[in-house]
Amino acid sequence: GARVNKARRSSSEEAAASPSPAGKKRARQAKLPALSWEQLETGVREVLAAHALELEDSMPSMRILKNAGRPELVKAVGQLADSVEDARQRLGLSATTPYWPVLNSCNFGLVVALHISWLEAGGGPAERGALNKAQLMAKANPLCKEDIYEQKGAFAAEYDGWAGVTKNLLRPEPPRQPWMRDFTGHVHGAGGKKHMALTAYGLVRAGLLHAHAEAEGRCKCGRVAPKPLLLLRWAAVQPAGARRSGGGRDEELEEEEAADWAEAVAGGA
């Protein structure tokens, strides 16, 4: 009996002495260097330079800084700033975040489908591989998480996966740039209907989404080398019933960012 009790005490003492996952995380954060504003700005600018197409001149979220392998910047933002927005203002970064389709959303599938069509047409000018709406939706549907043709909403408010194209891809509010353009004219094999093509801005970014789709197995055309995209490694697919074609933000992402901020503040305390 004494041996059993001693073994139990020893096991309990070892468990108490062994830090929890949260404790280990705090210990790692404590070892990170404390940065000044100047050092934080240098580090953030390095991340922006390495991922210029993805982030342009916008403030990276805490999760993106973490995915970029820069935990010291996450800690510094939590330690020095009152919020990510406060850090953005102090660092003089743009208040406009570039639009990126949510991972595997309908808009994601549409721009990747246009990029595939552009490659199939031999590349070159961005307008190569233009498709009419019916062709584009058919080509994009296998790349989407949900059926692009499925009607959402009720009665007169019903909409399908094309719903967010005009607002987010064709004619976004400035200073955001359009990913796609539409034009009326004869396209070989498609007649004289209105067609969609990538803009020069959208072409290079659609290529990044295409590479990400290949990396995740969503696209298997093999026309681009698979490469995960920093911005989308953590982007959740919008839940069923949400505005499916919309941008790169939803409630789930906002909750994750709030948790990242709380963690960073705790690490910098």
Side-chain angles (χ1 to χ4, degrees):
R3 287 182 180 178
V4 171
N5 289 335
K6 185 176 181 180
R8 286 175 177 171
R9 284 197 304 273
S10 177
S11 176
S12 298
E13 289 168 358
E14 287 178 5
S18 178
S20 66
K24 291 179 180 178
K25 184 179 290 186
R26 285 193 294 270
R28 289 196 300 270
Q29 290 173 330
K31 294 179 181 179
L32 294 172
L35 304 184
S36 65
W37 274 108
E38 291 77 12
Q39 292 169 318
L40 173 60
E41 179 173 12
T42 298
V44 170
R45 295 286 180 186
E46 289 171 353
V47 173
L48 293 179
H51 304 279
L53 288 176
E54 301 171 54
L55 304 174
E56 296 179 16
D57 193 36
S58 64
M59 178 69 193
S61 69
M62 308 293 258
R63 186 62 58 93
I64 287 175
L65 291 175
K66 187 184 298 184
N67 286 346
R70 302 299 295 269
E72 79 282 6
L73 301 181
V74 175
K75 177 181 177 180
V77 172
Q79 189 174 38
L80 297 173
D82 294 332
S83 64
V84 176
E85 172 60 16
D86 177 44
R88 181 199 68 76
Q89 293 182 15
R90 288 172 179 253
L91 297 178
L93 298 175
S94 172
T96 301
T97 56
Y99 169 75
W100 284 86
V102 172
L103 180 63
N104 301 334
S105 67
C106 295
N107 279 1
F108 178 97
L110 289 166
V111 296
V112 172
L114 271 181
H115 191 263
I116 294 171
S117 183
W118 174 77
L119 290 173
E120 290 172 343
E127 61 268 18
R128 283 276 189 88
L131 300 171
N132 64 41
K133 179 179 176 180
Q135 292 171 322
L136 180 52
M137 290 182 73
K139 197 173 188 69
N141 200 35
L143 301 166
C144 304
K145 175 73 173 180
E146 296 183 357
D147 185 352
I148 201 169
Y149 299 105
E150 183 181 353
Q151 295 288 319
K152 295 286 184 178
F155 304 109
E158 286 188 352
Y159 55 88
D160 58 20
W162 192 262
V165 168
T166 298
K167 178 181 178 182
N168 294 311
L169 298 176
L170 281 172
R171 282 175 276 281
E173 184 176 342
R176 285 181 171 166
Q177 300 292 313
W179 286 57
M180 290 165 45
R181 70 183 187 92
D182 54 1
F183 62 94
T184 302
H186 184 83
V187 174
H188 180 70
K193 298 180 180 179
K194 181 176 284 189
H195 293 83
M196 311 291 161
L198 292 167
T199 61
Y201 177 93
L203 178 63
V204 66
R205 288 160 178 79
L208 296 181
L209 295 185
H210 190 177
H212 187 89
E214 288 281 343
E216 292 214 331
R218 175 67 60 175
C219 177
K220 299 178 182 178
C221 74
R223 292 180 178 274
V224 297
K227 183 179 181 182
L229 186 62
L230 172 71
L231 191 68
L232 293 181
R233 285 181 194 157
W234 64 287
V237 177
Q238 291 183 344
R243 184 166 54 85
R244 301 177 308 165
S245 302
R249 303 193 63 81
D250 57 24
E251 291 181 2
E252 183 177 347
L253 298 188
E254 289 176 0
E255 289 175 2
E256 288 184 2
E257 288 186 1
D260 289 338
W261 172 255
E263 179 183 315
V265 171

